[in-house]
Amino acid sequence: MQVIIASNNQGKIREYKDIFAPLGFEVFSQGEKSIELDVEETGRTFEENAVLKAQAIYDLTHSCVISDDSGLEVEALNGEPGIYSARYKGLQTEHERRKAILDGLKGASYRKARFICLICFIDEAGQQHLFKGVWPGTIAYEEEGSNGFGYDPIFISEDSQGRTTASMPISFKEEHSHRAKAVKKLMEYLENKAESL
Ligand code: ITT
């Protein structure tokens, strides 16, 4: 099956290719299909934004599409950056956005957070399907590690024995992350669908 990843985030695209290619899917980025589109994320929830991104690419291509709206919710920052994770406080670089979170939590011992991933899969018939993954953890006191992307150097998941995601092997994130959990639900859906045909 051919599927287009409706994203311009190279970190996400790499993760989807690593997950889907070994399963026999032909995975294309927007760039590989010459689709120059950066959908405005005007939704109020991860769900709404995931649907907006997937639908825009489906309308252009009529191919199977996967979009991913994801982000980090920090409890002591009232759930911020949330759906604004990619543009937190209008800061331009991932490093500045990570620093803003560390600064926001300066002196705080309550550092609970979670990554959220909403996948919208649109099938050949144009039907939308949503899958959610949540990865609980805490925010580190300083950056550590260089794997992954985005907030990985400051996120310590519950299952990583105190290490940031960026300092764990890439295979750990592929198996445990918010994205991995949402992908597992999508795969279950696709397997059930194949069985019922
Ligand atoms: P697309 O909309 O083109 O896919 P984007 O980066 O704008 O790319 P989002 O709106 O979903 O995507 O924002 C997600 C942001 O949340 C992303 O830029 C990271 O800063 C952060 N994020 C999401 N998943 C992450 C992960 O697995 N590791 C680290 N940070 C992550």
Side-chain angles (χ1 to χ4, degrees):
M1 183 168 89
Q2 275 204 8
V3 60
I4 302 173
I5 307 299
S7 173
N8 291 308
N9 179 316
Q10 295 310 317
K12 279 188 198 174
I13 293 168
R14 207 170 39 239
E15 289 188 10
Y16 278 101
K17 288 204 166 200
D18 288 350
I19 293 168
F20 281 103
L23 301 173
F25 287 83
E26 277 188 275
V27 185
F28 297 95
S29 64
Q30 286 185 203
E32 286 164 334
K33 289 284 184 183
S34 305
I35 304 167
E36 277 183 39
L37 190 65
D38 198 2
V39 179
E40 210 188 331
E41 297 183 24
T42 52
R44 285 159 302 152
T45 60
F46 289 110
E47 285 86 346
E48 285 179 10
N49 284 333
V51 167
L52 280 174
K53 291 191 268 192
Q55 191 64 49
I57 301 298
Y58 182 83
D59 289 345
L60 281 177
T61 62
H62 291 272
S63 308
C64 290
V65 179
I66 289 174
S67 72
D68 166 320
D69 201 56
S70 45
L72 180 69
E73 292 182 342
V74 181
E75 286 193 18
L77 300 178
N78 299 317
E80 286 185 359
I83 61 167
Y84 303 108
S85 291
R87 46 203 152 120
Y88 187 41
K89 293 185 186 282
L91 296 164
Q92 294 302 307
T93 68
E94 290 183 335
H95 175 72
E96 287 172 316
R97 293 192 284 270
R98 290 193 294 266
K99 187 172 177 310
I101 290 183
L102 292 179
D103 288 348
L105 289 181
K106 207 162 247 169
S109 56
Y110 188 73
R111 306 179 76 86
K112 266 198 178 179
R114 55 190 200 151
F115 267 129
I116 309 278
C117 175
L118 251 299
I119 288 178
C120 177
F121 170 67
I122 303 191
D123 61 26
E124 306 89 326
Q127 273 214 304
Q128 299 171 354
H129 308 269
L130 284 164
F131 306 93
K132 184 176 186 178
V134 179
W135 202 18
T138 55
I139 300 299
Y141 285 88
E142 56 187 32
E143 293 201 9
E144 186 189 278
S146 55
N147 285 335
F149 66 97
Y151 298 100
D152 286 338
I154 60 166
F155 182 74
I156 300 173
S157 65
E158 271 182 3
D159 40 17
S160 70
Q161 265 107 41
R163 296 179 62 193
T164 64
T165 305
S167 50
M168 296 297 281
I170 291 166
S171 57
F172 176 81
K173 189 176 180 194
E174 274 172 14
E175 196 168 325
H176 297 271
S177 76
H178 50 315
R179 187 158 295 111
K181 289 174 182 172
V183 164
K184 264 179 206 151
K185 292 181 186 171
L186 167 61
M187 298 309 297
E188 276 163 24
Y189 164 77
L190 291 174
E191 277 160 21
N192 287 338
K193 192 174 142 198
E195 273 169 26
S196 65
L197 287 179

